[in-house]
Amino acid sequence: GQSLEQPSEVTAVEGAIVQINCTYQTSGFYGLSWYQQHDGGAPTFLSYNALDGLEETGRFSSFLSRSDSYGYLLLQELQMKDSASYFCAVLNDYKLSFGAGTTVTVRA
Amino acid sequence: DAGVTQSPTHLIKTRGQQVTLRCSPISGHKSVSWYQQVLGQGPQFIFQYYEKEERGRGNFPDRFSARQFPNYSSELNVNALLLGDSALYLCASSLLAVDTEAFFGQGTRLTVV
């Protein structure tokens, strides 16, 4: 089976940088994905890492280390609209296995 | 372009009843997956269909079933509803058989009373 661990909550002020760590145990690993979900909304895709290293997309970056079964999502220049739940998810052949999510609260 | 659409958006059912949830993927997407999300948790995988074939099934009882139609839309059926089936049911579509980028619908909020 799969197991993923990520912090349950993070609070930061506008303009700050937040790093959400994710460790996983799985078989048949293809890659690590990150999704954002606002209250009452649909999960939306942020990033996908199949290879080791850092992927940067605007204010968000994602990192993967396959040897350490570890990844993180970096949120820079935090804005109020970034307040949401963030999920890491392991991709295997046919499914995404999600962590329990990290609630990010951005304060003014 | 229309995103993933799900219907209905909300549903209230009684224990023991049956329910059918519907999903229309993004045009051109041939993969549809279903997830259950209980409040405060991450989505849990139920099924994936690609090209009308079931590619995978999660750890859910046989009361859960699904199918994909020739136009790639999909239905999720749940029989003999239990209180614990109350959740947000999400449908996701993707271009590839492997969901490197999955697009989720707004979900169907099912309440079992």
Side-chain angles (χ1 to χ4, degrees):
Chain A
Q2 285 85 16
S3 70
L4 297 94
E5 289 192 17
Q6 55 181 123
S8 58
E9 293 181 25
V10 173
T11 300
V13 297
E14 273 187 298
I17 299 174
V18 160
Q19 179 172 317
I20 303 172
N21 298 321
C22 175
T23 58
Y24 60 87
Q25 291 185 321
T26 186
S27 57
F29 179 81
Y30 275 38
L32 187 70
S33 299
W34 290 91
Y35 286 80
Q36 178 194 60
Q37 186 177 33
H38 287 97
D39 273 351
T44 55
F45 173 83
L46 293 177
S47 67
Y48 172 70
N49 295 64
L51 303 175
D52 287 358
L54 189 68
E55 297 275 348
E56 297 179 76
T57 309
R59 295 185 298 113
F60 295 176
S61 302
S62 58
F63 172 83
L64 175 65
S65 168
R66 295 175 70 111
S67 59
D68 295 324
S69 298
Y70 163 77
Y72 67 73
L73 179 70
L74 193 70
L75 315 178
Q76 302 181 79
E77 301 173 20
L78 275 178
Q79 302 176 7
M80 297 298 288
K81 67 179 181 180
D82 298 329
S83 292
S85 293
Y86 293 82
F87 297 92
C88 60
V90 164
L91 177 66
N92 74 6
D93 182 37
Y94 57 82
K95 69 177 182 179
L96 287 163
S97 297
F98 287 82
T102 299
T103 300
V104 173
T105 302
V106 182
R107 296 185 288 110
Chain B
D1 283 344
V4 177
T5 57
Q6 293 186 243
S7 62
T9 55
H10 294 83
L11 202 53
I12 299 175
K13 289 286 190 178
T14 303
R15 275 179 297 175
Q17 285 188 314
Q18 175 264 341
V19 68
T20 298
L21 312 180
R22 295 176 175 82
C23 172
S24 293
I26 291 171
S27 177
H29 286 193
K30 299 179 180 180
S31 171
V32 170
S33 299
W34 288 94
Y35 291 83
Q36 180 196 66
Q37 187 175 24
V38 173
L39 197 62
Q41 297 182 19
Q44 297 297 309
F45 172 78
I46 310 176
F47 286 106
Q48 194 212 29
Y49 278 79
Y50 180 74
E51 286 279 20
K52 294 154 291 204
E53 296 289 326
E54 181 183 305
R55 291 192 73 239
R57 181 187 182 113
N59 189 25
F60 280 80
D62 290 344
R63 299 185 294 109
F64 289 75
S65 63
R67 54 180 175 168
Q68 186 176 34
F69 298 98
N71 66 353
Y72 303 109
S73 67
S74 178
E75 286 183 352
L76 175 70
N77 294 282
V78 186
N79 294 321
L81 284 167
L82 303 174
L83 295 179
D85 295 330
S86 296
L88 180 67
Y89 288 84
L90 294 162
C91 172
S93 78
S94 60
L95 196 57
L96 306 173
V98 179
D99 290 342
T100 54
E101 182 174 358
F103 296 82
F104 284 83
Q106 292 292 323
T108 294
R109 173 72 62 188
L110 173 65
T111 302
V112 182
V113 297

